[in-house]
């Protein structure tokens, strides 16, 4: 029996009393992935990206482990909710225009002490000031550095379109604006190198593309390490008591941690290890989060149909954004239908061994987005469900 077949047998036994659709997290794999992230971080603390987890129970679990400290949130409303739930040191990774939430933040000392907001433009400070109302708490601020690799005088750009702050001088200018402005305190710098941390460098069946990605990433790492160090020096000249410099992501943990200028690493997807993280040479994780759909039809030889399953991930549309049939091994989509809103045909010889009501296990393309489809996660240890934890959705929270 292969390791994957053994996992399928465990998951089927653990959930035999549960009807699909359902989602689970294998806690043994989750914990092993957490340990691997800590090992790769080389002693630097890991700030957990909540968008990649979206379950308070599992955020609490990972933050109780040595090597993890703080949360990187994805909306201001979520940040306030987490702070009110008892989480501390919450860094909002994206700028917000939520005036209602800014008014709540500025009016509550506990929230203002726990939450740091992201800024890359002075006009964002104007929006916050305009939303304060009667609130006069000091707002903690982090500046985001654009990590994109620019070549040929900027005519070629590799990296996400995020912050407009690319050079040390640009970041320092905004740092001075924050430092001069009453009601704000600059505490950190963040730089997410998504073209390194979020792009696999070992694409199956694409050796030339894989080599090109590795070359690009090696060049980008060198350029960013030098520029990030210069940015940190420029900002510390304005704010000497900067609390942290956050960088990285699941795919670049060990590389980012090696930079002296970086004080902490961000990671989250590496806990669940969705399918987009299969194609890396720098690490190998264990799939920890899966969902099951029930077989409801057997249209013919080598074909079964499962209920639902059309759960595409965000990003540029393409096959890599689709969930992948995982267990039993050997199933594939019908190329003319793909995963459907209400039903999904699956092809392959393993279909002939599946009965009506059997479960087919899938892996989502991205990590936390799976939780937007399910109210609860069944937590599996060995071959038993030992707990059930609500997702954000299960707690009535749909932030994006």
């Amino acid at each position: 029996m292969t390791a994957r077949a053994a996992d399928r047998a465990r998951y089927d036994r653990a959930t035999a009393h549960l009807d699909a659709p359902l989602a689970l997290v294998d806690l043994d794999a989750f914990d092993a992935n957490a340990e691997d992230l800590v090992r790769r971080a080389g002693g630097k603390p890991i700030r957990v990206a909540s968008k990649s987890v979206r379950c308070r129970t599992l955020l609490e679990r990972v933050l109780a482990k040595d090597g993890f400290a703080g949360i990187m949130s994805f909306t201001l409303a979520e940040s306030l909710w987490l702070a009110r739930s008892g989480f501390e040191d919450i860094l909002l990774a994206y700028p917000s225009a939520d005036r209602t939430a800014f008014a709540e933040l500025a009016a509550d000392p506990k929230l203002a002490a726990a939450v740091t907001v992201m800024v890359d433009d002075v006009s964002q400070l104007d929006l916050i000031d305009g939303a304060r109302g009667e609130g006069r708490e000091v707002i903690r601020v982090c500046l985001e550095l654009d990590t994109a690799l620019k070549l040929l005088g900027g005519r070629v750009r590799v990296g996400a379109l995020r912050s407009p702050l690319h050079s040390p001088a640009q970041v320092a200018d905004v740092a001075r604006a924050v430092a001069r402005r009453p009601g704000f305190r600059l505490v950190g710098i963040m730089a997410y190198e998504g073209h390194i941390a979020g792009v696999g460098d070992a694409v199956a069946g694409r050796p030339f593309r894989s080599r090109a990605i590795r070359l690009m990433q090696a060049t980008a790492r060198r350029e960013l390490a030098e520029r990030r160090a210069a940015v940190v020096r420029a900002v510390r000249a304005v704010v000497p008591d900067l609390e942290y410099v956050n960088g990285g992501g699941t795919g670049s943990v060990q590389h980012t941690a090696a930079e002296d200028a970086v004080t902490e690493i961000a990671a989250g997807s590496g806990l669940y290890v969705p399918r987009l993280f299969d194609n890396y040479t720098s690490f190998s994780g264990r799939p920890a989060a899966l969902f099951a759909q029930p077989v409801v039809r057997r249209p013919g030889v080598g074909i079964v149909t499962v209920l639902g399953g059309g759960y595409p991930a965000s990003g540029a549309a393409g096959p890599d954004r689709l969930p992948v049939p995982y267990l039993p091994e050997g199933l594939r989509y019908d190329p003319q239908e793909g995963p459907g809103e209400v039903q999904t045909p699956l092809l392959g010889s393993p279909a002939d061994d599946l009965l009506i009501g059997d479960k087919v296990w899938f892996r989502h393309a991205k990590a936390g987005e799976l939780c937007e489809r399910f109210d609860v996660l069944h937590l599996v240890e060995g071959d038993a469900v030992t707990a059930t934890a609500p997702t954000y959705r299960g707690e009535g929270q749909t932030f994006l």
Side-chain angles (χ1 to χ4, degrees):
M1 181 182 289
T2 66
R4 278 174 61 172
D7 282 341
R8 180 194 174 200
R10 285 196 302 115
Y11 301 148
D12 283 347
R13 286 195 299 271
T15 63
H17 61 296
L18 299 171
D19 289 329
L22 63 85
L24 68 73
V25 170
D26 183 334
L27 291 180
D28 295 331
F30 181 90
D31 291 343
N33 292 334
E35 291 169 7
D36 187 59
L37 286 170
V38 171
R39 176 190 61 79
R40 291 167 58 208
K44 291 187 177 178
I46 298 171
R47 185 180 292 274
V48 183
S50 63
K51 77 176 181 64
S52 300
V53 179
R54 303 194 201 201
C55 171
R56 286 197 299 170
T57 299
L58 292 176
L59 287 173
E60 290 168 353
R61 184 183 184 91
V62 72
L63 286 170
K65 297 178 182 295
D66 291 339
F68 291 86
I71 288 177
M72 178 174 281
S73 57
F74 61 99
T75 76
L76 185 53
E78 178 214 13
S79 306
L80 303 187
W81 178 66
L82 290 173
R84 291 189 175 109
S85 301
F87 291 95
E88 300 176 347
D89 189 9
I90 301 162
L91 170 60
L92 174 58
Y94 308 89
S96 176
D98 188 338
R99 292 176 173 83
T100 299
F102 277 127
E104 294 175 24
L105 181 66
D108 189 318
K110 178 183 175 182
L111 297 180
V115 175
T116 300
V117 303
M118 192 62 61
V119 166
D120 58 32
D121 190 312
V122 173
S123 63
Q124 293 158 351
L125 303 179
D126 296 337
L127 185 146
I128 296 171
D129 270 338
R132 282 179 182 272
E134 299 300 317
R136 290 294 176 264
E137 295 298 323
V138 173
I139 305 299
R140 292 167 55 86
V141 169
C142 180
L143 301 183
E144 180 169 3
L145 168 67
D146 170 37
T147 64
L149 174 65
K150 295 184 178 181
L151 304 171
L152 301 177
R155 292 190 295 276
V156 174
R157 174 192 177 93
V158 181
L161 292 165
R162 290 176 63 118
S163 171
L165 306 178
H166 189 80
S167 70
Q170 290 174 319
V171 183
D173 283 345
V174 179
R176 281 188 285 272
V178 175
R180 289 194 300 263
R181 192 136 178 175
F184 295 91
R185 180 185 170 205
L186 179 58
V187 299
I189 300 171
M190 187 196 82
Y192 172 58
E193 50 266 47
H195 51 302
I196 303 171
V199 177
D201 63 350
V203 184
R206 304 287 297 276
F208 296 110
R209 177 175 173 79
S210 297
R211 290 193 194 101
I213 291 172
R214 287 195 288 274
L215 178 62
M216 175 276 290
Q217 290 180 338
T219 303
R221 282 196 298 268
R222 288 192 297 269
E223 186 276 337
L224 179 59
E226 294 177 4
R227 182 160 51 90
R228 180 154 40 198
V231 165
V232 172
R233 288 194 298 270
V235 173
R236 287 196 185 278
V238 178
V239 182
D241 59 344
L242 205 64
E243 294 179 14
Y244 53 78
V245 177
N246 181 282
T250 288
S252 70
V253 170
Q254 64 271 39
H255 301 298
T256 308
E259 295 182 33
D260 291 338
V262 174
T263 66
E264 64 174 41
I265 310 300
S269 296
L271 296 168
Y272 288 167
V273 187
R275 64 167 294 199
L276 281 178
F277 286 86
D278 285 347
N279 302 320
Y280 285 79
T281 57
S282 60
F283 79 102
S284 177
R286 292 173 55 185
L290 300 95
F291 68 92
Q293 305 295 113
V295 174
V296 292
R297 285 178 169 163
R298 292 168 51 88
V301 176
I303 309 169
V304 292
T305 301
V306 298
L307 183 70
Y311 305 156
S314 60
D320 65 336
R321 300 292 146 165
L322 300 178
V324 61
Y326 184 60
L327 302 171
E329 298 180 66
L331 293 173
R332 64 187 186 278
Y333 293 125
D334 177 345
Q336 296 192 48
E337 291 197 45
E341 177 188 11
V342 179
Q343 66 172 31
T344 297
L346 297 171
L347 314 180
S349 58
D352 293 330
D353 296 323
L354 291 169
L355 304 176
I356 299 296
D358 282 352
K359 296 180 176 78
V360 175
W361 297 91
F362 294 76
R363 293 172 64 201
H364 204 271
K366 296 183 75 173
E369 292 183 20
L370 168 65
C371 295
E372 298 300 329
R373 298 287 183 168
F374 293 92
D375 291 342
V376 299
L377 298 173
H378 299 284
L379 308 183
V380 171
E381 296 180 80
D383 60 358
V385 172
T386 57
T388 299
T391 61
Y392 280 14
R393 170 178 167 168
E395 297 199 70
Q397 306 294 331
T398 52
F399 298 108
L400 278 180

